[in-house]
Amino acid sequence: MARRLPVAPPTPQPVLDLEMASQDADLAEDWDDAADADLSAHGAPREIERRELLVPGSAHGQRLDVFLVTGASEFSRNHLKHLIEEGCVEVDGVLANSASRKVTQGQRVVVVLKPTAQSLAFVPEAMDFPIVFEDEHLMVVNKPAGLVVHPAAGNWTGTLMNGLLAHHAGAVNLPRAGIVHRLDKDTSGLMVVGKTLVAVTSLSRAIAAREVSRQYLALVLGLVPEEFRVESSIGRDPATRVRMAVVPSGKSARTDVRRVLVGEWAPEPGVGVKADQYLPARPYSGVLCTLHTGRTHQIRVHLSSRRHPLVADALYGGPPALGMLRQALHATRLSFEHPITGEMLKFEAPLPPDMALAWQTLSASPKIEAAPL
């Protein structure tokens, strides 16, 4: 006997409209595939619904998942395929187990439409995050390390976007709740967020036009030249999708780097390091990076490509050092023209405690006079 599908009465709910209202936000900053996956689901219902569909002659011979898209267009085909695999679809009273099976005219298809993980994630969550500046048009936040900016696989709750949705009512009507650029989870520092559609559009265009100045402080392995520029295109690493890499087919990217600190450091035996694990002192540098583009992981990729990975950046080969437990990267300066008033706004955020201590440790270490050209 075929297993029956669970039945739940449809319960219409208000839908969060978080679709992109303008293509400019896509120009402003690269976003991880995981964060962008299935954007249509942001507007999908957040309640379970049981829906019955009759296969018309025009759909005869279609794949089951393709047919379901026509009857549940608010969901992506990928999500509907998952529902088939989870046993949420019946054809003529028999549980369907293959998305590729063909439907026949006159068949009755019943689908239990479960909400997507994405749609469940786009809910307000009250949280404290440091606000450096705020008016009715925009806000500048000093994101702490460890805070995810945008809901994605593995981080569907507790993100900055969830906090923004709770912070002001207008965020629900904005693409990505007003976020126009992004910092990695373990990168700290300054971000600008729009609070109106006009501000979001204007800020996005300004970032795309390279009119927003962003500077970062980083601690890296090795002695770096006093000043240098990296202009290498960045794309998805063909070997490991969680990484980005310098690849010819990638998007153009430019980072300017200036050395501001050099020194040597070695772990001390007895402070979490066994005697046989002791390493000789190695050189490290403190650098100021100026972004001219905003590619995913740009500074991390560019510096690691020059054999100067960020301290404690395990993804790109950066060794743990100077007491850092996360990548040593902080967005320290941000300046841009206010999209409404035209006033030039400039902000600076001091290093957070973990990175400030690491910086101080390196500053107090034996100095190295010159870096190789």
Side-chain angles (χ1 to χ4, degrees), residues 221-267:
L221 175 65
L223 280 67
V224 303
E226 186 174 344
E227 290 190 15
F228 63 100
R229 174 178 296 172
V230 185
E231 285 189 277
S232 302
S233 56
I234 293 175
R236 188 68 58 182
D237 189 322
T240 309
R241 282 196 57 79
V242 297
R243 289 167 45 107
M244 306 299 287
V246 170
V247 292
S249 60
K251 296 180 180 179
S252 62
R254 172 184 161 189
T255 306
D256 291 343
V257 184
R258 179 166 62 88
R259 188 187 75 222
V260 294
L261 175 68
V262 291
E264 290 186 333
W265 179 87

mmCIF file of all heavy atoms in Angstrom, residues 221-267:
data_model
loop_
_atom_site.group_PDB
_atom_site.id
_atom_site.type_symbol
_atom_site.label_atom_id
_atom_site.label_comp_id
_atom_site.label_asym_id
_atom_site.label_seq_id
_atom_site.Cartn_x
_atom_site.Cartn_y
_atom_site.Cartn_z
ATOM 1 N N LEU A 221 52.152 36.459 6.285
ATOM 2 C CA LEU A 221 53.406 35.727 6.422
ATOM 3 C C LEU A 221 54.464 36.315 5.497
ATOM 4 O O LEU A 221 54.191 36.616 4.338
ATOM 5 C CB LEU A 221 53.181 34.256 6.072
ATOM 6 C CG LEU A 221 54.424 33.354 6.034
ATOM 7 C CD1 LEU A 221 55.045 33.222 7.419
ATOM 8 C CD2 LEU A 221 54.048 31.982 5.479
ATOM 9 N N GLY A 222 55.678 36.479 6.014
ATOM 10 C CA GLY A 222 56.799 36.872 5.179
ATOM 11 C C GLY A 222 57.069 38.368 5.160
ATOM 12 O O GLY A 222 56.306 39.178 5.693
ATOM 13 N N LEU A 223 58.174 38.721 4.543
ATOM 14 C CA LEU A 223 58.567 40.116 4.344
ATOM 15 C C LEU A 223 58.041 40.577 2.999
ATOM 16 O O LEU A 223 58.398 40.022 1.961
ATOM 17 C CB LEU A 223 60.089 40.248 4.363
ATOM 18 C CG LEU A 223 60.793 40.289 5.709
ATOM 19 C CD1 LEU A 223 60.679 38.965 6.436
ATOM 20 C CD2 LEU A 223 62.250 40.669 5.511
ATOM 21 N N VAL A 224 57.205 41.569 3.000
ATOM 22 C CA VAL A 224 56.640 42.057 1.743
ATOM 23 C C VAL A 224 57.385 43.308 1.305
ATOM 24 O O VAL A 224 57.985 44.013 2.119
ATOM 25 C CB VAL A 224 55.134 42.366 1.890
ATOM 26 C CG1 VAL A 224 54.373 41.155 2.367
ATOM 27 C CG2 VAL A 224 54.909 43.548 2.833
ATOM 28 N N PRO A 225 57.376 43.628 0.028
ATOM 29 C CA PRO A 225 57.963 44.892 -0.436
ATOM 30 C C PRO A 225 57.258 46.080 0.208
ATOM 31 O O PRO A 225 56.134 45.966 0.705
ATOM 32 C CB PRO A 225 57.714 44.846 -1.946
ATOM 33 C CG PRO A 225 57.533 43.401 -2.266
ATOM 34 C CD PRO A 225 56.879 42.795 -1.074
ATOM 35 N N GLU A 226 57.909 47.216 0.159
ATOM 36 C CA GLU A 226 57.338 48.410 0.795
ATOM 37 C C GLU A 226 55.991 48.774 0.189
ATOM 38 O O GLU A 226 55.052 49.134 0.898
ATOM 39 C CB GLU A 226 58.315 49.578 0.670
ATOM 40 C CG GLU A 226 57.870 50.812 1.427
ATOM 41 C CD GLU A 226 58.908 51.914 1.411
ATOM 42 O OE1 GLU A 226 60.074 51.622 1.079
ATOM 43 O OE2 GLU A 226 58.554 53.064 1.732
ATOM 44 N N GLU A 227 55.888 48.709 -1.116
ATOM 45 C CA GLU A 227 54.618 48.950 -1.809
ATOM 46 C C GLU A 227 54.557 48.063 -3.044
ATOM 47 O O GLU A 227 55.575 47.869 -3.721
ATOM 48 C CB GLU A 227 54.471 50.419 -2.230
ATOM 49 C CG GLU A 227 54.274 51.394 -1.080
ATOM 50 C CD GLU A 227 53.892 52.791 -1.567
ATOM 51 O OE1 GLU A 227 53.502 52.919 -2.754
ATOM 52 O OE2 GLU A 227 53.982 53.730 -0.775
ATOM 53 N N PHE A 228 53.391 47.536 -3.339
ATOM 54 C CA PHE A 228 53.223 46.780 -4.575
ATOM 55 C C PHE A 228 51.743 46.688 -4.919
ATOM 56 O O PHE A 228 50.871 47.009 -4.109
ATOM 57 C CB PHE A 228 53.849 45.379 -4.479
ATOM 58 C CG PHE A 228 53.238 44.468 -3.440
ATOM 59 C CD1 PHE A 228 52.320 43.486 -3.802
ATOM 60 C CD2 PHE A 228 53.600 44.574 -2.098
ATOM 61 C CE1 PHE A 228 51.780 42.636 -2.855
ATOM 62 C CE2 PHE A 228 53.061 43.729 -1.142
ATOM 63 C CZ PHE A 228 52.151 42.760 -1.520
ATOM 64 N N ARG A 229 51.485 46.297 -6.134
ATOM 65 C CA ARG A 229 50.110 46.182 -6.637
ATOM 66 C C ARG A 229 49.906 44.782 -7.198
ATOM 67 O O ARG A 229 50.804 44.229 -7.833
ATOM 68 C CB ARG A 229 49.861 47.214 -7.729
ATOM 69 C CG ARG A 229 48.513 47.097 -8.436
ATOM 70 C CD ARG A 229 48.345 48.202 -9.465
ATOM 71 N NE ARG A 229 48.320 49.501 -8.811
ATOM 72 C CZ ARG A 229 48.344 50.665 -9.477
ATOM 73 N NH1 ARG A 229 48.430 50.669 -10.808
ATOM 74 N NH2 ARG A 229 48.316 51.804 -8.812
ATOM 75 N N VAL A 230 48.732 44.217 -6.939
ATOM 76 C CA VAL A 230 48.369 42.925 -7.525
ATOM 77 C C VAL A 230 47.176 43.153 -8.445
ATOM 78 O O VAL A 230 46.129 43.607 -8.000
ATOM 79 C CB VAL A 230 48.017 41.874 -6.453
ATOM 80 C CG1 VAL A 230 47.776 40.518 -7.112
ATOM 81 C CG2 VAL A 230 49.112 41.780 -5.394
ATOM 82 N N GLU A 231 47.358 42.862 -9.722
ATOM 83 C CA GLU A 231 46.270 42.931 -10.697
ATOM 84 C C GLU A 231 46.153 41.563 -11.354
ATOM 85 O O GLU A 231 46.795 41.300 -12.370
ATOM 86 C CB GLU A 231 46.548 44.018 -11.739
ATOM 87 C CG GLU A 231 46.349 45.426 -11.220
ATOM 88 C CD GLU A 231 46.426 46.476 -12.319
ATOM 89 O OE1 GLU A 231 47.550 46.867 -12.660
ATOM 90 O OE2 GLU A 231 45.370 46.894 -12.824
ATOM 91 N N SER A 232 45.372 40.708 -10.746
ATOM 92 C CA SER A 232 45.195 39.341 -11.240
ATOM 93 C C SER A 232 43.725 38.991 -11.175
ATOM 94 O O SER A 232 43.063 39.232 -10.153
ATOM 95 C CB SER A 232 46.009 38.352 -10.397
ATOM 96 O OG SER A 232 47.382 38.680 -10.396
ATOM 97 N N SER A 233 43.200 38.422 -12.251
ATOM 98 C CA SER A 233 41.781 38.066 -12.288
ATOM 99 C C SER A 233 41.484 36.930 -11.320
ATOM 100 O O SER A 233 42.302 36.037 -11.102
ATOM 101 C CB SER A 233 41.373 37.671 -13.706
ATOM 102 O OG SER A 233 42.190 36.617 -14.182
ATOM 103 N N ILE A 234 40.307 37.002 -10.724
ATOM 104 C CA ILE A 234 39.909 36.049 -9.682
ATOM 105 C C ILE A 234 38.633 35.320 -10.102
ATOM 106 O O ILE A 234 37.683 35.934 -10.584
ATOM 107 C CB ILE A 234 39.688 36.761 -8.339
ATOM 108 C CG1 ILE A 234 41.025 37.312 -7.813
ATOM 109 C CG2 ILE A 234 39.055 35.840 -7.301
ATOM 110 C CD1 ILE A 234 40.896 38.131 -6.540
ATOM 111 N N GLY A 235 38.641 34.009 -9.889
ATOM 112 C CA GLY A 235 37.459 33.188 -10.159
ATOM 113 C C GLY A 235 37.427 32.002 -9.223
ATOM 114 O O GLY A 235 38.312 31.841 -8.369
ATOM 115 N N ARG A 236 36.427 31.168 -9.381
ATOM 116 C CA ARG A 236 36.301 29.980 -8.535
ATOM 117 C C ARG A 236 37.473 29.038 -8.785
ATOM 118 O O ARG A 236 37.867 28.818 -9.917
ATOM 119 C CB ARG A 236 34.974 29.273 -8.849
ATOM 120 C CG ARG A 236 34.617 28.133 -7.928
ATOM 121 C CD ARG A 236 34.306 28.591 -6.533
ATOM 122 N NE ARG A 236 33.215 29.558 -6.464
ATOM 123 C CZ ARG A 236 32.811 30.127 -5.326
ATOM 124 N NH1 ARG A 236 33.419 29.841 -4.184
ATOM 125 N NH2 ARG A 236 31.817 30.992 -5.333
ATOM 126 N N ASP A 237 38.047 28.518 -7.721
ATOM 127 C CA ASP A 237 39.146 27.560 -7.830
ATOM 128 C C ASP A 237 38.614 26.296 -8.506
ATOM 129 O O ASP A 237 37.672 25.680 -8.004
ATOM 130 C CB ASP A 237 39.687 27.237 -6.441
ATOM 131 C CG ASP A 237 40.974 26.418 -6.478
ATOM 132 O OD1 ASP A 237 41.094 25.537 -7.351
ATOM 133 O OD2 ASP A 237 41.842 26.653 -5.627
ATOM 134 N N PRO A 238 39.178 25.897 -9.644
ATOM 135 C CA PRO A 238 38.648 24.724 -10.347
ATOM 136 C C PRO A 238 38.809 23.428 -9.567
ATOM 137 O O PRO A 238 38.096 22.458 -9.832
ATOM 138 C CB PRO A 238 39.470 24.691 -11.645
ATOM 139 C CG PRO A 238 40.708 25.463 -11.337
ATOM 140 C CD PRO A 238 40.302 26.513 -10.359
ATOM 141 N N ALA A 239 39.698 23.411 -8.590
ATOM 142 C CA ALA A 239 39.931 22.182 -7.830
ATOM 143 C C ALA A 239 39.118 22.127 -6.546
ATOM 144 O O ALA A 239 38.755 21.051 -6.082
ATOM 145 C CB ALA A 239 41.421 22.037 -7.502
ATOM 146 N N THR A 240 38.813 23.283 -5.958
ATOM 147 C CA THR A 240 38.110 23.332 -4.677
ATOM 148 C C THR A 240 37.116 24.472 -4.695
ATOM 149 O O THR A 240 37.514 25.647 -4.670
ATOM 150 C CB THR A 240 39.103 23.542 -3.508
ATOM 151 O OG1 THR A 240 40.150 22.587 -3.604
ATOM 152 C CG2 THR A 240 38.404 23.396 -2.171
ATOM 153 N N ARG A 241 35.834 24.168 -4.716
ATOM 154 C CA ARG A 241 34.819 25.203 -4.895
ATOM 155 C C ARG A 241 34.707 26.163 -3.724
ATOM 156 O O ARG A 241 34.184 27.268 -3.882
ATOM 157 C CB ARG A 241 33.452 24.563 -5.156
ATOM 158 C CG ARG A 241 33.278 24.071 -6.574
ATOM 159 C CD ARG A 241 31.811 23.809 -6.889
ATOM 160 N NE ARG A 241 30.971 24.977 -6.690
ATOM 161 C CZ ARG A 241 30.867 25.978 -7.544
ATOM 162 N NH1 ARG A 241 31.608 26.015 -8.644
ATOM 163 N NH2 ARG A 241 30.061 26.989 -7.296
ATOM 164 N N VAL A 242 35.172 25.786 -2.545
ATOM 165 C CA VAL A 242 35.070 26.704 -1.414
ATOM 166 C C VAL A 242 36.137 27.786 -1.480
ATOM 167 O O VAL A 242 36.100 28.743 -0.714
ATOM 168 C CB VAL A 242 35.180 25.958 -0.069
ATOM 169 C CG1 VAL A 242 34.027 24.985 0.098
ATOM 170 C CG2 VAL A 242 36.517 25.238 0.050
ATOM 171 N N ARG A 243 37.089 27.632 -2.395
ATOM 172 C CA ARG A 243 38.161 28.605 -2.540
ATOM 173 C C ARG A 243 37.998 29.406 -3.823
ATOM 174 O O ARG A 243 37.381 28.954 -4.779
ATOM 175 C CB ARG A 243 39.529 27.900 -2.593
ATOM 176 C CG ARG A 243 39.998 27.313 -1.305
ATOM 177 C CD ARG A 243 41.168 26.379 -1.542
ATOM 178 N NE ARG A 243 42.171 26.932 -2.443
ATOM 179 C CZ ARG A 243 43.369 27.383 -2.059
ATOM 180 N NH1 ARG A 243 43.704 27.340 -0.784
ATOM 181 N NH2 ARG A 243 44.233 27.842 -2.941
ATOM 182 N N MET A 244 38.567 30.598 -3.817
ATOM 183 C CA MET A 244 38.737 31.360 -5.034
ATOM 184 C C MET A 244 40.211 31.263 -5.419
ATOM 185 O O MET A 244 41.045 30.831 -4.615
ATOM 186 C CB MET A 244 38.319 32.818 -4.832
ATOM 187 C CG MET A 244 36.914 32.992 -4.280
ATOM 188 S SD MET A 244 35.620 32.325 -5.362
ATOM 189 C CE MET A 244 35.630 33.550 -6.670
ATOM 190 N N ALA A 245 40.535 31.659 -6.642
ATOM 191 C CA ALA A 245 41.915 31.544 -7.098
ATOM 192 C C ALA A 245 42.176 32.554 -8.207
ATOM 193 O O ALA A 245 41.245 33.093 -8.816
ATOM 194 C CB ALA A 245 42.189 30.123 -7.607
ATOM 195 N N VAL A 246 43.450 32.822 -8.448
ATOM 196 C CA VAL A 246 43.848 33.621 -9.604
ATOM 197 C C VAL A 246 43.750 32.723 -10.832
ATOM 198 O O VAL A 246 44.483 31.748 -10.956
ATOM 199 C CB VAL A 246 45.286 34.153 -9.431
ATOM 200 C CG1 VAL A 246 45.776 34.773 -10.733
ATOM 201 C CG2 VAL A 246 45.333 35.175 -8.304
ATOM 202 N N VAL A 247 42.800 33.034 -11.699
ATOM 203 C CA VAL A 247 42.579 32.231 -12.905
ATOM 204 C C VAL A 247 42.380 33.165 -14.093
ATOM 205 O O VAL A 247 41.769 34.235 -13.967
ATOM 206 C CB VAL A 247 41.343 31.312 -12.750
ATOM 207 C CG1 VAL A 247 41.591 30.231 -11.708
ATOM 208 C CG2 VAL A 247 40.107 32.123 -12.364
ATOM 209 N N PRO A 248 42.879 32.791 -15.272
ATOM 210 C CA PRO A 248 42.764 33.663 -16.450
ATOM 211 C C PRO A 248 41.324 33.998 -16.813
ATOM 212 O O PRO A 248 41.044 35.078 -17.333
ATOM 213 C CB PRO A 248 43.444 32.846 -17.555
ATOM 214 C CG PRO A 248 44.348 31.898 -16.838
ATOM 215 C CD PRO A 248 43.655 31.566 -15.555
ATOM 216 N N SER A 249 40.413 33.073 -16.537
ATOM 217 C CA SER A 249 39.017 33.275 -16.925
ATOM 218 C C SER A 249 38.216 34.036 -15.867
ATOM 219 O O SER A 249 37.010 34.248 -16.038
ATOM 220 C CB SER A 249 38.350 31.916 -17.166
ATOM 221 O OG SER A 249 38.398 31.119 -15.981
ATOM 222 N N GLY A 250 38.867 34.457 -14.788
ATOM 223 C CA GLY A 250 38.160 35.129 -13.700
ATOM 224 C C GLY A 250 37.849 36.585 -14.012
ATOM 225 O O GLY A 250 38.096 37.093 -15.115
ATOM 226 N N LYS A 251 37.307 37.275 -13.003
ATOM 227 C CA LYS A 251 36.980 38.692 -13.134
ATOM 228 C C LYS A 251 38.194 39.533 -12.732
ATOM 229 O O LYS A 251 38.918 39.193 -11.804
ATOM 230 C CB LYS A 251 35.783 39.040 -12.243
ATOM 231 C CG LYS A 251 34.499 38.328 -12.638
ATOM 232 C CD LYS A 251 33.362 38.726 -11.716
ATOM 233 C CE LYS A 251 32.061 38.026 -12.102
ATOM 234 N NZ LYS A 251 30.956 38.394 -11.180
ATOM 235 N N SER A 252 38.373 40.641 -13.416
ATOM 236 C CA SER A 252 39.521 41.502 -13.136
ATOM 237 C C SER A 252 39.477 41.986 -11.691
ATOM 238 O O SER A 252 38.409 42.244 -11.134
ATOM 239 C CB SER A 252 39.530 42.699 -14.083
ATOM 240 O OG SER A 252 38.370 43.491 -13.902
ATOM 241 N N ALA A 253 40.652 42.098 -11.073
ATOM 242 C CA ALA A 253 40.734 42.509 -9.675
ATOM 243 C C ALA A 253 42.052 43.234 -9.445
ATOM 244 O O ALA A 253 43.088 42.850 -9.988
ATOM 245 C CB ALA A 253 40.613 41.303 -8.750
ATOM 246 N N ARG A 254 41.996 44.264 -8.612
ATOM 247 C CA ARG A 254 43.208 45.028 -8.299
ATOM 248 C C ARG A 254 43.246 45.338 -6.816
ATOM 249 O O ARG A 254 42.269 45.823 -6.241
ATOM 250 C CB ARG A 254 43.251 46.318 -9.107
ATOM 251 C CG ARG A 254 44.389 47.266 -8.695
ATOM 252 C CD ARG A 254 44.328 48.578 -9.450
ATOM 253 N NE ARG A 254 45.082 49.629 -8.775
ATOM 254 C CZ ARG A 254 45.061 50.909 -9.126
ATOM 255 N NH1 ARG A 254 44.312 51.298 -10.159
ATOM 256 N NH2 ARG A 254 45.757 51.807 -8.454
ATOM 257 N N THR A 255 44.389 45.076 -6.199
ATOM 258 C CA THR A 255 44.635 45.397 -4.797
ATOM 259 C C THR A 255 45.977 46.101 -4.687
ATOM 260 O O THR A 255 46.985 45.606 -5.193
ATOM 261 C CB THR A 255 44.672 44.125 -3.932
ATOM 262 O OG1 THR A 255 43.481 43.363 -4.135
ATOM 263 C CG2 THR A 255 44.797 44.477 -2.455
ATOM 264 N N ASP A 256 45.999 47.271 -4.048
ATOM 265 C CA ASP A 256 47.244 47.973 -3.759
ATOM 266 C C ASP A 256 47.644 47.682 -2.322
ATOM 267 O O ASP A 256 46.798 47.730 -1.411
ATOM 268 C CB ASP A 256 47.084 49.480 -3.962
ATOM 269 C CG ASP A 256 46.916 49.855 -5.426
ATOM 270 O OD1 ASP A 256 47.243 49.022 -6.293
ATOM 271 O OD2 ASP A 256 46.452 50.977 -5.699
ATOM 272 N N VAL A 257 48.933 47.396 -2.100
ATOM 273 C CA VAL A 257 49.411 46.977 -0.785
ATOM 274 C C VAL A 257 50.573 47.861 -0.360
ATOM 275 O O VAL A 257 51.499 48.116 -1.141
ATOM 276 C CB VAL A 257 49.866 45.496 -0.805
ATOM 277 C CG1 VAL A 257 50.278 45.047 0.594
ATOM 278 C CG2 VAL A 257 48.749 44.602 -1.351
ATOM 279 N N ARG A 258 50.521 48.325 0.891
ATOM 280 C CA ARG A 258 51.628 49.106 1.456
ATOM 281 C C ARG A 258 52.041 48.503 2.790
ATOM 282 O O ARG A 258 51.199 48.264 3.652
ATOM 283 C CB ARG A 258 51.211 50.566 1.652
ATOM 284 C CG ARG A 258 52.318 51.446 2.266
ATOM 285 C CD ARG A 258 51.981 52.923 2.114
ATOM 286 N NE ARG A 258 50.766 53.288 2.819
ATOM 287 C CZ ARG A 258 50.751 53.672 4.103
ATOM 288 N NH1 ARG A 258 51.868 53.694 4.813
ATOM 289 N NH2 ARG A 258 49.611 54.013 4.665
ATOM 290 N N ARG A 259 53.319 48.247 2.927
ATOM 291 C CA ARG A 259 53.835 47.679 4.170
ATOM 292 C C ARG A 259 53.917 48.763 5.244
ATOM 293 O O ARG A 259 54.429 49.855 4.998
ATOM 294 C CB ARG A 259 55.222 47.096 3.930
ATOM 295 C CG ARG A 259 55.783 46.317 5.107
ATOM 296 C CD ARG A 259 57.231 45.926 4.862
ATOM 297 N NE ARG A 259 58.121 47.069 5.009
ATOM 298 C CZ ARG A 259 59.139 47.344 4.214
ATOM 299 N NH1 ARG A 259 59.385 46.588 3.164
ATOM 300 N NH2 ARG A 259 59.905 48.391 4.446
ATOM 301 N N VAL A 260 53.415 48.453 6.434
ATOM 302 C CA VAL A 260 53.480 49.409 7.541
ATOM 303 C C VAL A 260 54.189 48.839 8.762
ATOM 304 O O VAL A 260 54.470 49.568 9.713
ATOM 305 C CB VAL A 260 52.066 49.898 7.937
ATOM 306 C CG1 VAL A 260 51.444 50.701 6.805
ATOM 307 C CG2 VAL A 260 51.162 48.742 8.314
ATOM 308 N N LEU A 261 54.487 47.537 8.742
ATOM 309 C CA LEU A 261 55.104 46.906 9.905
ATOM 310 C C LEU A 261 55.785 45.617 9.478
ATOM 311 O O LEU A 261 55.254 44.877 8.646
ATOM 312 C CB LEU A 261 54.029 46.604 10.958
ATOM 313 C CG LEU A 261 54.438 45.836 12.209
ATOM 314 C CD1 LEU A 261 55.367 46.677 13.075
ATOM 315 C CD2 LEU A 261 53.202 45.436 13.009
ATOM 316 N N VAL A 262 56.973 45.350 10.020
ATOM 317 C CA VAL A 262 57.631 44.059 9.804
ATOM 318 C C VAL A 262 58.267 43.614 11.112
ATOM 319 O O VAL A 262 58.611 44.428 11.967
ATOM 320 C CB VAL A 262 58.726 44.118 8.702
ATOM 321 C CG1 VAL A 262 58.118 44.321 7.343
ATOM 322 C CG2 VAL A 262 59.749 45.195 9.019
ATOM 323 N N GLY A 263 58.391 42.317 11.282
ATOM 324 C CA GLY A 263 59.015 41.781 12.476
ATOM 325 C C GLY A 263 59.113 40.275 12.387
ATOM 326 O O GLY A 263 58.715 39.668 11.384
ATOM 327 N N GLU A 264 59.650 39.672 13.431
ATOM 328 C CA GLU A 264 59.768 38.218 13.503
ATOM 329 C C GLU A 264 58.984 37.705 14.697
ATOM 330 O O GLU A 264 58.861 38.391 15.722
ATOM 331 C CB GLU A 264 61.234 37.798 13.618
ATOM 332 C CG GLU A 264 62.034 38.024 12.358
ATOM 333 C CD GLU A 264 63.438 37.458 12.464
ATOM 334 O OE1 GLU A 264 63.968 37.369 13.599
ATOM 335 O OE2 GLU A 264 63.998 37.092 11.418
ATOM 336 N N TRP A 265 58.484 36.480 14.570
ATOM 337 C CA TRP A 265 57.715 35.892 15.665
ATOM 338 C C TRP A 265 57.881 34.382 15.625
ATOM 339 O O TRP A 265 58.005 33.780 14.555
ATOM 340 C CB TRP A 265 56.233 36.249 15.529
ATOM 341 C CG TRP A 265 55.376 35.652 16.621
ATOM 342 C CD1 TRP A 265 55.115 36.189 17.843
ATOM 343 C CD2 TRP A 265 54.678 34.407 16.570
ATOM 344 N NE1 TRP A 265 54.301 35.364 18.571
ATOM 345 C CE2 TRP A 265 54.013 34.257 17.809
ATOM 346 C CE3 TRP A 265 54.541 33.409 15.606
ATOM 347 C CZ2 TRP A 265 53.235 33.146 18.105
ATOM 348 C CZ3 TRP A 265 53.779 32.307 15.902
ATOM 349 C CH2 TRP A 265 53.126 32.171 17.137
ATOM 350 N N ALA A 266 57.889 33.792 16.806
ATOM 351 C CA ALA A 266 57.919 32.329 16.933
ATOM 352 C C ALA A 266 57.111 31.944 18.158
ATOM 353 O O ALA A 266 57.102 32.672 19.160
ATOM 354 C CB ALA A 266 59.354 31.823 17.059
ATOM 355 N N PRO A 267 56.394 30.825 18.095
ATOM 356 C CA PRO A 267 55.662 30.365 19.280
ATOM 357 C C PRO A 267 56.637 29.979 20.379
ATOM 358 O O PRO A 267 57.729 29.483 20.118
ATOM 359 C CB PRO A 267 54.883 29.148 18.770
ATOM 360 C CG PRO A 267 55.668 28.668 17.590
ATOM 361 C CD PRO A 267 56.252 29.895 16.962
#
